[in-house]
Amino acid sequence: MILKATCQEVGKRCFRESWLTQYTPWLSYSPRLKGAFCIFCVLFPQPVQRGIQGAFITTPCTKYKDFNECARNHTSSAWHRGSQQDAEHFASTIRDPNKDIICQIDNSVKRTIEENRKKLYPIISTILFCGTNDLAIRGKDSTKGNVEQLYAYRIEGGDSILKNHFDTAAGNARYTSHRTQNDLINLSEQALREDIVKAANNAVGFSIIADETADILGTEQLSLGVRFVDTSSEKAMIREEFLGFSPLKGMDAATISDCIIQHCKTFGLLLNNLLGQGYDGCSIMAGKE
Ligand SMILES: [Zn+2]
């Protein structure tokens, strides 16, 4: 009815309703702008490299006298073909989200991360084995030593993922250099400490245990530990855990107590839950002298 009324008012050739069927699914009529548009080209506009986008795209097509020719020209245009492809891709993505290209890239990245994790697991596990059994990781050079022997032992025992990784990885992506080993040790230290701090913070309260000791270079190191009752499992148990070493700048009470407080904060311990302090019979350690 709207179309009819419009034509009578203008008194010239008018838009035929049958064109909507003939040029489905892209053709649409705008009563407000009194002309025909292409839904695909309006909703999925293409970049303009040459020429000017006109009828059906940025302006309504009102050449009803030559409408079929205009419509045919439009459907064969590069802009329309590009917009149609984008529209079809959009519709298929809505129907099946797994087809989305970003989703596919995302899945591919996830797969790579999963595969790399599987490769890293035996390497980290071997380094942790050395750590928990007091075994030196390296020998005289990076290709000899306990950790290398243990890698070979794992492969001999049937660790196909590690074997495949060593057989196929590029020289700079084997994750076996001493730098990578140090990175993995540091990351393991952080993860382990985070677990301990979380458990200590979840306890009713905890005590700090500190002592000082000289390292192999003669630098005084503060060793910091935490003691708490762990009630996370069915049977409550007392845990006494080592948190880390820190070099001491001085041996006076103020320096030591500052160091203790600073490290408790850095590690994330909630000092409001600190109920006790334990030192090795030394009054300086408690900040008294
Ligand atoms: Zn179009």
Side-chain angles (χ1 to χ4, degrees):
M1 287 305 286
I2 294 168
L3 295 178
K4 223 173 185 177
T6 308
C7 293
Q8 280 165 1
E9 280 164 25
V10 176
K12 57 182 183 182
R13 283 177 192 268
C14 62
F15 184 87
R16 288 188 204 156
E17 206 173 339
S18 62
W19 289 334
L20 289 173
T21 316
Q22 192 178 342
Y23 297 104
T24 187
W26 62 268
L27 187 64
S28 180
Y29 180 81
S30 165
R32 195 164 72 84
L33 296 172
K34 297 186 175 63
F37 279 95
C38 169
I39 297 173
F40 295 160
C41 290
V42 170
L43 293 180
F44 300 93
Q46 301 297 300
V48 182
Q49 266 130 20
R50 283 178 56 198
I52 300 166
Q53 289 182 330
F56 293 111
I57 306 175
T58 55
T59 56
C61 175
T62 51
K63 286 186 182 172
Y64 302 138
K65 190 169 162 252
D66 307 313
F67 188 80
N68 285 318
E69 193 187 339
C70 291
R72 274 196 301 274
N73 288 343
H74 179 73
T75 47
S76 60
S77 70
W79 287 323
H80 179 80
R81 288 200 303 272
S83 298
Q84 189 173 9
Q85 270 181 3
D86 287 355
E88 283 167 359
H89 178 248
F90 176 77
S92 79
T93 303
I94 293 295
R95 281 193 295 271
D96 182 4
N98 289 329
K99 280 188 184 165
D100 181 5
I101 187 73
I102 293 168
C103 183
Q104 283 176 21
I105 292 169
D106 215 30
N107 286 339
S108 160
V109 170
K110 271 186 201 158
R111 266 201 305 280
T112 308
I113 290 171
E114 282 299 314
E115 281 164 15
N116 285 343
R117 274 191 184 147
K118 281 181 191 164
K119 290 172 193 170
L120 273 173
Y121 177 81
I123 293 171
I124 295 173
S125 169
T126 307
I127 291 171
L128 292 182
F129 180 85
C130 289
T132 49
N133 289 282
D134 286 338
L135 295 171
I137 287 178
R138 292 190 280 274
K140 285 183 181 168
D141 59 58
S142 61
T143 59
K144 289 176 190 155
N146 290 322
V147 82
E148 286 293 327
Q149 300 270 349
L150 285 165
Y151 291 152
Y153 186 61
R154 285 188 83 114
I155 291 170
E156 194 186 317
D159 192 331
S160 56
I161 293 174
L162 189 63
K163 181 178 187 311
N164 187 45
H165 169 58
F166 285 163
D167 287 348
T168 57
N172 61 354
R174 286 165 59 87
Y175 310 129
T176 55
S177 73
H178 65 276
R179 280 194 194 87
T180 307
Q181 283 173 358
N182 287 346
D183 285 345
L184 292 173
I185 291 168
N186 288 337
L187 290 170
S188 302
E189 178 196 348
Q190 281 174 27
L192 194 60
R193 188 161 46 224
E194 277 170 18
D195 276 358
I196 294 168
V197 168
K198 194 176 168 190
N201 284 339
N202 284 339
V204 176
F206 58 82
S207 293
I208 282 296
I209 304 166
D211 199 359
E212 62 82 24
T213 182
D215 66 14
I216 198 166
L217 294 172
T219 309
E220 293 295 337
Q221 299 274 354
L222 180 84
S223 80
L224 202 62
V226 65
R227 186 179 159 95
F228 59 96
V229 179
D230 189 341
T231 52
S232 58
S233 54
E234 247 176 57
K235 194 179 170 192
M237 61 176 179
I238 295 170
R239 284 177 64 183
E240 201 171 294
E241 305 284 0
F242 172 65
L243 288 173
F245 285 116
S246 166
L248 279 170
K249 288 176 188 153
M251 290 301 292
D252 56 292
T255 308
I256 294 172
S257 61
D258 279 353
C259 187
I260 293 171
I261 292 167
Q262 192 54 47
H263 275 79
C264 285
K265 285 180 181 171
T266 308
F267 294 157
L269 283 166
L270 302 173
L271 290 179
N272 285 344
N273 294 357
L274 176 59
L275 299 181
Q277 305 170 54
Y279 306 106
D280 189 18
C282 176
S283 53
I284 288 181
M285 295 299 295
K288 285 181 184 169
E289 289 180 16

